[in-house]
Amino acid sequence: MTETAEPYVDAGHAVDQVSLTFVAGSAPPVARSVTYERILQARSEPHNWLTYYGAYDGQRYSPLEQINTGNVRRLTPAWVFQCGGTGLQAGATTYAFEAAPVVVDGVMYVTGWDGWCWALDARTGQELWRYKHAVPFDTSLCCGNVNRGVAVAKGKVFYVTQNAHVVALDAANGKPVWDKTYGDVRAGESATLAPLIVKDMVIVGSSGGEFGVRGHIDAFNLDTGEHVWRCYTVPKPGEPGSETWPKEGEAWARGGANCWITGTYDPELNLLYVGTGNPAPDFDGEVRPGDNLYTDSMVAVNPDNGQIRFHYQYNPHDVWDYDSISEHILFEMDGRKVMAHFDKNGYCFILDRTNGQLIRVFPFVDRITWGEIDASGKVTPKIYPDKEGEPVHFWPGPAGGKEWTHAAYSQKTGLLYVPVQDIGATATRRRREFKESIPYWGAGVQVDAEDIAGSVSAFDPRTGREVWRWRHEVPMCASVLATGGDLVFAGAPGGMFNAFNARTGELLWQFQCGSGHHSSPTTYSVGGRQYIAAPSGWGGWVEGFVPGMLGAPHGAALFVFALAE
Amino acid sequence: MTTGVEQQLAELGKQNGATLGRLLGNGNLGRAEEGPDGRMHATIRIQPDQLVWDPAVLVMPHGGDIELELINDDMNTHCALLPSNGDSQFIWLVNHSRGTATLNLDGPGYYWYSSPTGNDEGRGLTGAIVVMGEAPPEARLDRPPQPRP
């Protein structure tokens, strides 16, 4: 210590970093009038993107048609929001921009990695306010420092933090209203999904399936933050479904089934459809004989009490890491309430969403060698890690024929559009003892860096027929957006953001964003001008979905496009 | 049994010794004091010509609010960018200056902070705040206690 006779210079009190910017710190109070009733009718106000998927049905379809097949070639950047971080952050190399921007009456709310949440002027890109949650550097993150977006209602913006908090912010200034912890970081839990508003609740799920946790969905009162219910997606001994786990031991307690992607919701049936993740350990099934409910399943949950009404398991006794967390897209088909789900296992399932019964199942990726599923839904495994130390190669790899990034359904064409990953992997079973917070895979895994492919593919859900395919040299791993302009948008790992003719698959327009896409583009309009918002920032679990692009440039930019004026 | 790198190569714990700067994560450890109101307090100094926070590792017994006194005893100008829920906290610390900061941190876990000017961060002015404790009972999993490493 150096104590001199001279008094210290007064350095004052530390200030918010944002005060060293031109950020105003406030946004128009547009979110005050966003209610559950308004979200129910989200598609009736197409100038907004009110909720994660655009509407409860998960279609990722907007009726906006100002940008269409005839003029999309005139699409040009309107603005770019750059958001590179400062200082050391968790997942220093695995951070990625995975969000879906939500827009309410000219204000955009979007999250980044490492606890960032921003409000932006949706017309100009000007930052209006920011909130930065401090995320512990040592938080367990299986698949990168990522976050997929916000929910907005009643004057508040809701999002989750990597250390498993759900935070409610004042949508007018970004100041915290309430903050609740809903996961145990010492157990390896984290949180990455965008919350969903249902009635007076904000609904979230947990991440951490690679660490041997017990998955759960939680509901909080959106006004007060009071915890309303928790739904565990692995039953305890004695509960329905527990017969699918070993009677002896605690495999169920480490069983996984995390719900790390936002669910969809049918208000008429009052059912929330949530996909669950892989069982743990991912690849060593011998320590957990049985079907392992409700891993790799669709669970239909009553949002009033958090109880599972029915389920459909896509991968009984999964040993390939085939999470079934992906969205369930709700639509009507031949007068029937159905839903479509593209599973990691390479098959698309069309289910009756009133009861979970299978209507149709068909493959959507070329190479499927792990096993097969027949028309009745019977699953026959063929290749899987079985003997200790013996490598097995299978397609699709653990990132799946489609990863979490979302498909879309166009109300104009009646087609489903899916980002496809045709990539295999080698897994070698390596049993290990369970220890809380330590990765619990039960295998060594290497995903192929060569002999890979991808596509954006269009399917007719009525027949399972592939209508068109746009082929790409690497897997496509960003969400698809469908619009009333008969367009389909999808970003590529190499940074190109693409627009296709929704009826033919013809590539109509491209823009190089400089970093790969692993996010969910959205569309909206302000002052009669339609915009397309595409977060660009390569990262996350790249070693899982395209390890051949682990060296590709990182990025931290939100590109927003509009027709040239 | 091996010993720590600093014990094996003492010059890692100083400026322009084995390395150009000072290996991160080395330095003194200090503990925050907790007041009767639950708020925590600590003092962190920058030692002359050492480009290191002292303590380099500050331990908070649990999550919550902490008041920091930041003293730059060095004969150069530095600054501090500190983690806190809401926004990171920034303060300039000119030569022989004293300032304060208020942080709110959840924990458990640890957070890095630094002096983001020039390459103070690489030379050694990157420190850690460790927050002890457990997740609140209502957030924990309903399962039997599990073995930890």
Side-chain angles (χ1 to χ4, degrees), chain A residues 273-343:
Chain A
Y273 303 101
V274 183
T276 66
N278 58 275
D282 305 45
F283 302 94
D284 185 359
E286 203 171 78
V287 302
R288 48 174 173 78
D291 282 353
N292 306 143
L293 287 175
Y294 297 95
T295 66
D296 287 5
S297 299
M298 174 281 299
V299 289
V301 176
N302 179 347
D304 295 332
N305 56 21
Q307 292 183 355
I308 296 173
R309 192 89 67 80
F310 56 82
H311 74 279
Y312 185 94
Q313 190 174 37
Y314 300 106
N315 303 293
H317 192 70
D318 172 21
V319 281
W320 305 269
D321 191 16
Y322 285 160
D323 302 66
S324 300
I325 38 66
S326 270
E327 70 288 345
H328 291 79
I329 300 175
L330 316 185
F331 57 103
E332 315 302 309
M333 192 171 76
D334 304 325
R336 199 168 178 187
K337 280 176 165 287
V338 303
M339 55 184 170
H341 167 78
F342 291 90
D343 200 85

Side-chain angles (χ1 to χ4, degrees), chain A residues 112-163:
Chain A
W113 50 93
D114 210 45
W116 287 104
C117 183
W118 299 281
L120 309 175
D121 184 318
R123 187 178 62 82
T124 66
Q126 175 66 45
E127 184 179 342
L128 301 174
W129 57 249
R130 69 174 68 166
Y131 178 88
K132 169 78 169 68
H133 203 83
V135 177
F137 187 77
D138 49 348
T139 304
S140 294
L141 301 168
C142 82
C143 307
N145 187 338
V146 299
N147 185 279
R148 303 194 180 86
V150 303
V152 176
K154 296 178 76 173
K156 290 184 272 295
V157 175
F158 305 90
Y159 83 117
V160 301
T161 68
Q162 284 77 359
N163 63 333

Side-chain angles (χ1 to χ4, degrees), chain A residues 43-399:
Chain A
R43 199 164 281 111
S44 69
E45 42 181 303
H47 57 289
N48 289 327
W49 191 276
L50 283 184
T51 185
Y52 180 65
Y53 294 111
Y56 278 130
D57 54 30
Q59 293 179 2
R60 289 189 46 76
Y61 169 78
S62 166
L64 290 180
E65 56 185 7
Q66 183 182 81
I67 301 167
N68 54 52
T69 53
N71 60 22
V72 69
R73 288 181 176 84
R74 291 197 291 115
L75 209 56
T76 189
W79 52 266
V80 179
F81 175 65
Q82 292 277 6
C83 42
T86 51
L88 294 175
Q89 62 187 17
T93 306
T94 63
Y95 74 92
F97 206 162
E98 293 195 350
V102 163
V103 177
V104 181
D105 296 327
V107 178
M108 177 183 289
Y109 307 94
V110 63
T111 56
W113 50 93
D114 210 45
W116 287 104
C117 183
W118 299 281
L120 309 175
D121 184 318
R123 187 178 62 82
T124 66
Q126 175 66 45
E127 184 179 342
L128 301 174
W129 57 249
R130 69 174 68 166
Y131 178 88
K132 169 78 169 68
H133 203 83
V135 177
F137 187 77
D138 49 348
T139 304
S140 294
L141 301 168
C142 82
C143 307
N145 187 338
V146 299
N147 185 279
R148 303 194 180 86
V150 303
V152 176
K154 296 178 76 173
K156 290 184 272 295
V157 175
F158 305 90
Y159 83 117
V160 301
T161 68
Q162 284 77 359
N163 63 333
H165 286 228
V166 55
V167 180
L169 304 175
D170 185 329
N173 56 29
K175 301 298 181 192
V177 179
W178 55 259
D179 175 340
K180 299 289 180 180
T181 311
Y182 75 99
D184 183 356
V185 289
R186 288 208 182 273
E189 289 194 286
S190 58
T192 54
L193 86 177
L196 186 71
I197 303 295
V198 175
K199 303 181 183 180
D200 61 349
M201 295 172 288
V202 54
I203 294 174
V204 294
S206 61
S207 299
E210 271 59 57
F211 296 89
V213 299
R214 188 179 173 214
H216 52 91
I217 309 164
D218 291 75
F220 295 85
N221 180 287
L222 65 84
D223 291 315
T224 64
E226 179 189 359
H227 191 245
V228 182
W229 51 254
R230 170 172 285 192
C231 168
Y232 280 104
T233 47
V234 175
K236 288 174 77 169
E239 293 178 346
S242 60
E243 67 281 2
T244 65
W245 291 89
K247 284 183 181 172
E248 304 298 324
E250 295 181 353
W252 64 273
R254 308 155 183 174
N258 292 84
C259 305
W260 47 276
I261 289 295
T262 311
T264 51
Y265 175 60
D266 184 328
E268 290 181 7
L269 297 173
N270 193 34
L271 285 175
L272 188 64
Y273 303 101
V274 183
T276 66
N278 58 275
D282 305 45
F283 302 94
D284 185 359
E286 203 171 78
V287 302
R288 48 174 173 78
D291 282 353
N292 306 143
L293 287 175
Y294 297 95
T295 66
D296 287 5
S297 299
M298 174 281 299
V299 289
V301 176
N302 179 347
D304 295 332
N305 56 21
Q307 292 183 355
I308 296 173
R309 192 89 67 80
F310 56 82
H311 74 279
Y312 185 94
Q313 190 174 37
Y314 300 106
N315 303 293
H317 192 70
D318 172 21
V319 281
W320 305 269
D321 191 16
Y322 285 160
D323 302 66
S324 300
I325 38 66
S326 270
E327 70 288 345
H328 291 79
I329 300 175
L330 316 185
F331 57 103
E332 315 302 309
M333 192 171 76
D334 304 325
R336 199 168 178 187
K337 280 176 165 287
V338 303
M339 55 184 170
H341 167 78
F342 291 90
D343 200 85
K344 274 187 172 185
N345 66 23
Y347 287 86
C348 176
F349 296 77
I350 309 294
L351 304 180
D352 183 326
R353 70 176 187 266
T354 66
N355 54 25
Q357 288 183 352
L358 179 68
I359 296 173
R360 179 169 296 109
V361 57
F362 57 89
F364 64 90
V365 61
D366 288 344
R367 291 179 286 189
I368 300 175
T369 63
W370 65 268
E372 63 182 11
I373 302 176
D374 70 16
S376 72
K378 184 187 174 194
V379 177
T380 306
K382 292 180 177 173
I383 300 172
Y384 50 91
D386 184 20
K387 294 178 181 165
E388 185 77 2
E390 184 174 295
V392 292
H393 184 274
F394 54 88
W395 276 283

Side-chain angles (χ1 to χ4, degrees), chain A residues 411-457:
Chain A
Q411 295 185 355
K412 282 189 79 173
T413 66
L415 300 179
L416 293 160
Y417 304 95
V418 56
V420 176
Q421 308 180 136
D422 189 358
I423 183 167
T426 299
T428 307
R429 206 192 81 183
R430 301 286 184 190
R431 182 157 299 164
R432 62 150 299 135
E433 183 184 354
F434 175 80
K435 293 177 183 175
E436 201 169 41
S437 86
I438 301 296
Y440 189 48
W441 294 11
V445 182
Q446 185 159 6
V447 178
D448 299 347
E450 297 176 342
D451 189 18
I452 60 177
S455 67
V456 176
S457 302

Side-chain angles (χ1 to χ4, degrees), chain A residues 1-4 6-20 86-88 116 130-138 163 165 179 181-187 189 212-214 216 230 232 236 250 252-254 434-438, chain B residues 24 45 47-48 67 71-73 81-102 104-112 121 126 131-136 138-149:
Chain A
M1 182 176 9
T2 301
E3 289 288 359
T4 65
E6 193 176 338
Y8 284 113
V9 174
D10 182 5
H13 193 73
V15 298
D16 287 345
Q17 190 182 23
V18 72
S19 67
L20 307 173
T86 51
L88 294 175
W116 287 104
R130 69 174 68 166
Y131 178 88
K132 169 78 169 68
H133 203 83
V135 177
F137 187 77
D138 49 348
N163 63 333
H165 286 228
D179 175 340
T181 311
Y182 75 99
D184 183 356
V185 289
R186 288 208 182 273
E189 289 194 286
V213 299
R214 188 179 173 214
H216 52 91
R230 170 172 285 192
Y232 280 104
K236 288 174 77 169
E250 295 181 353
W252 64 273
R254 308 155 183 174
F434 175 80
K435 293 177 183 175
E436 201 169 41
S437 86
I438 301 296
Chain B
L24 302 188
R45 292 175 179 272
Q47 300 289 12
E67 304 284 348
I71 298 175
N72 180 9
D73 284 323
L81 183 65
L82 299 141
S84 184
N85 290 328
D87 199 4
S88 299
Q89 299 295 298
F90 183 84
I91 185 169
W92 269 114
L93 294 165
V94 299
N95 315 23
H96 194 66
S97 65
R98 175 194 169 281
T100 55
T102 305
N104 177 267
L105 297 170
D106 301 327
Y110 80 94
Y111 306 79
W112 291 108
E121 291 162 309
T126 298
V131 181
M132 308 281 282
E134 300 284 339
E138 68 274 14
R140 292 181 213 159
L141 295 171
D142 180 10
R143 65 177 181 179
Q146 299 294 303
R148 287 186 177 175

